[in-house]
Amino acid sequence: ANKALVNKRMAESPLLEQWCRASLITDKYEVKDYALDRAENGFHHALCFMMSRREMETYGLQLVEGRLWNDSVDESFTKNSFKAIINESAKKQFGITDITRQKLQATEPHFASSSLPDFYNPPYEIVGVIKDFNVCHLAKSAMPVVIHFIDEQEHGLEYVTVSYRHKDRAQVTDYLR
């Protein structure tokens, strides 16, 4: 009941430019290893995130190629979960020339594998490329990023993150209280 009320109130406010149910982006990643198509091609480090469509919109992640998440197509914890959105640095690091044909293989099973028969764990289809963004020290170049889909409605994330105009800061703070 509280989740529905929060969703309703957040959607009603003209003060909020974007909002999502997620923690801060700087708290969300793990470093994981991926290889282009298969393990024999060698593994490289990348920051791994799980993000919803609205979360990507809230942080202003910009599409360069392909598509972003689509809530009516993308899923969590199914055989349809093995998709990824990467950034430009990951595309360069892995030598990806065609996202429609090349895939990423992880060293560790996907989070959805534990709920699927025989721990199904194929390589990830790359559905999109986004502009580089930095979550580490700003003096360093952006690291390669691999993003997996998470359905914020299905998994009921506990945090709420908002974006708003700076001039509305006091009003937004009062509204959120």
Side-chain angles (χ1 to χ4, degrees):
N2 286 342
K3 182 178 171 183
L5 177 61
V6 169
N7 289 348
K8 180 180 182 293
R9 293 290 312 263
M10 298 299 278
E12 291 173 347
S13 177
L15 296 170
L16 306 178
E17 293 182 332
Q18 296 283 345
W19 72 276
C20 63
R21 291 189 161 276
S23 59
L24 293 174
I25 196 168
T26 54
D27 297 338
K28 295 183 58 80
Y29 65 87
E30 298 178 68
V31 176
K32 293 195 174 186
D33 293 323
Y34 297 87
L36 181 62
D37 294 319
R38 59 188 175 279
E40 295 80 22
N41 289 333
F43 288 94
H44 301 281
H45 296 309
L47 301 180
C48 177
F49 292 85
M50 291 175 47
M51 294 180 136
S52 69
R53 174 193 53 81
R54 282 200 332 183
E55 188 173 359
M56 292 180 77
E57 290 172 358
T58 299
Y59 289 118
L61 302 183
Q62 298 175 354
L63 184 67
V64 173
E65 180 181 353
R67 68 175 180 85
L68 295 175
W69 298 134
N70 178 335
D71 291 341
S72 64
V73 175
D74 298 308
E75 301 171 348
S76 298
F77 295 101
T78 71
K79 284 191 173 185
N80 194 30
S81 301
F82 298 88
K83 297 177 183 171
I85 294 174
I86 61 174
N87 70 347
E88 294 168 307
S89 291
K91 184 177 179 182
K92 182 178 179 182
Q93 174 176 277
F94 293 107
I96 295 169
T97 56
D98 185 351
I99 66 168
T100 64
R101 293 191 175 153
Q102 295 172 299
K103 297 182 180 201
L104 290 178
Q105 179 66 58
T107 56
E108 298 177 19
H110 186 279
F111 66 92
S113 295
S114 62
S115 62
L116 297 172
D118 300 322
F119 291 101
Y120 180 75
N121 195 44
Y124 302 101
E125 173 189 350
I126 303 165
V127 298
V129 179
I130 57 172
K131 284 188 175 187
D132 283 343
F133 64 96
N134 207 334
V135 295
C136 298
H137 196 284
L138 296 177
K140 296 183 179 185
S141 58
M143 290 191 56
V145 168
V146 176
I147 301 172
H148 302 289
F149 178 76
I150 188 163
D151 183 339
E152 69 181 49
Q153 299 304 317
E154 185 177 323
H155 298 291
L157 302 170
E158 299 171 0
Y159 300 94
V160 174
T161 301
V162 300
S163 68
Y164 55 88
R165 292 173 299 279
H166 184 70
K167 67 179 183 146
D168 296 334
R169 182 178 177 188
Q171 288 177 286
V172 169
T173 301
D174 288 341
Y175 185 79
L176 293 174
R177 285 189 184 137

